[in-house]
């Protein structure tokens, strides 16, 4: 589930804003028991935000406004991820079901973005939104037992750069909460 935080009071999410991520991560044990380690990875993510921030065009410029009456309005982002984690678990060489707590940072490169606004009069599609911050950083945390793990991401920098809404800087960030599955 994706949520926007630090938004102006006019911006609201409606519907389910979700996402999907997949990737590989290399675990590097730092002790003989393998209970403490580091990890670095590479992955792909897709995130959708269903909200009332309308993105339209005026000439060559994108214009941001609050949408009041619409059928659909979403923003979709595709990114390449590079996570770095510090890892603790109570595993052994023969035990594959164990408790784990992993935390760290993730850098993401947003390689494409798309927004769609639709009401009874028009449909506006905008690809590769220039104001989307291409490089994103966030704090990651996952904890759980065996394959099932709770996952939380908190964005450290705003999704947009140099965007104003009603003369105020639009500096909202995202939080992602979900399940993470580890396949060994």
């Amino acid at each position: 589930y994706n949520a926007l935080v630090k938004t102006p009071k006019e911006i609201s999410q409606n519907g389910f804003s979700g996402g999907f991520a997949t990737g590989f991560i290399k675990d590097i044990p730092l002790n003989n028991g393998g209970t403490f380690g580091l990890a670095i990875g590479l992955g792909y993510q897709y995130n959708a935000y269903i909200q009332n921030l309308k993105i339209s065009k005026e000439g060559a410029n994108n214009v941001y406004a609050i949408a009041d009456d619409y059928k659909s309005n979403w923003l979709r982002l595709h990114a390449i991820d590079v996570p770095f984690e510090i890892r603790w678990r109570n595993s052994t060489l023969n035990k594959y079901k164990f408790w784990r707590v992993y935390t760290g940072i993730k850098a993401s490169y947003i390689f494409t973005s798309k927004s769609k606004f639709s009401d009874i009069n028009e449909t506006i599609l905008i690809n590769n939104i220039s104001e989307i911050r291409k490089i994103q950083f966030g704090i990651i945390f996952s904890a759980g037992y065996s394959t099932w793990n709770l996952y939380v991401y908190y964005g450290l920098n705003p999704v947009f750069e140099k965007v104003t809404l009603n003369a105020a800087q639009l500096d909202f960030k995202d939080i992602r909460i979900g399940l993470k599955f580890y396949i060994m």
Side-chain angles (χ1 to χ4, degrees):
Y1 177 74
N2 299 331
L4 300 173
V5 295
K6 298 187 178 182
T7 61
K9 63 182 176 182
E10 301 91 2
I11 294 181
S12 63
Q13 286 186 255
N14 47 22
F16 181 79
S17 295
F20 172 80
T22 187
F24 299 95
I25 196 154
K26 172 64 176 158
D27 188 85
I28 306 161
L30 296 178
N31 63 359
N32 290 336
T35 58
F36 184 72
L38 299 175
I40 189 162
L42 183 64
Y44 160 81
Q45 71 171 303
Y46 159 81
N47 291 297
Y49 303 91
I50 300 170
Q51 34 62 42
N52 66 340
L53 180 65
K54 178 183 177 182
I55 305 173
S56 59
K57 284 271 192 200
E58 276 187 17
N61 298 322
N62 293 330
V63 177
Y64 296 81
I66 298 300
D68 293 321
D69 190 24
Y70 55 93
K71 289 192 286 185
S72 71
N73 189 43
W74 47 254
L75 171 66
R76 294 181 179 164
L77 307 174
H78 297 266
I80 299 295
D81 293 333
V82 178
F84 178 76
E85 296 178 345
I86 298 170
R87 299 174 143 206
W88 172 85
R89 63 252 164 174
N90 68 347
S91 64
T92 66
L93 294 175
N94 301 323
K95 183 177 166 186
Y96 295 103
K97 290 186 177 183
F98 52 85
W99 289 98
R100 71 180 91 221
V101 176
Y102 299 165
T103 188
I105 59 172
K106 179 167 62 170
S108 302
Y109 174 74
I110 298 175
F111 63 89
T112 189
S113 58
K114 184 175 187 178
S115 73
K116 179 181 179 184
F117 171 84
S118 180
D119 66 10
I120 60 171
N121 299 317
E122 64 184 341
T123 297
I124 302 168
L125 287 169
I126 299 178
N127 291 312
N128 298 319
I129 302 159
S130 59
E131 295 85 5
I132 294 286
R133 187 179 302 273
K134 296 284 188 196
I135 307 274
Q136 299 275 326
F137 293 97
I139 298 169
I140 52 177
F141 175 82
S142 61
Y145 181 76
S146 188
T147 303
W148 296 84
N149 295 265
L150 174 66
Y151 174 79
V152 178
Y153 168 91
Y154 178 76
L156 295 175
N157 48 350
V159 175
F160 291 99
E161 54 186 346
K162 299 177 185 169
V163 171
T164 57
L165 180 68
N166 300 329
Q169 187 72 24
L170 198 57
D171 285 335
F172 62 77
K173 300 174 182 179
D174 61 339
I175 290 180
R176 299 178 209 134
I177 300 170
L179 291 176
K180 190 171 197 175
F181 301 97
Y182 291 100
I183 301 170
M184 302 171 122

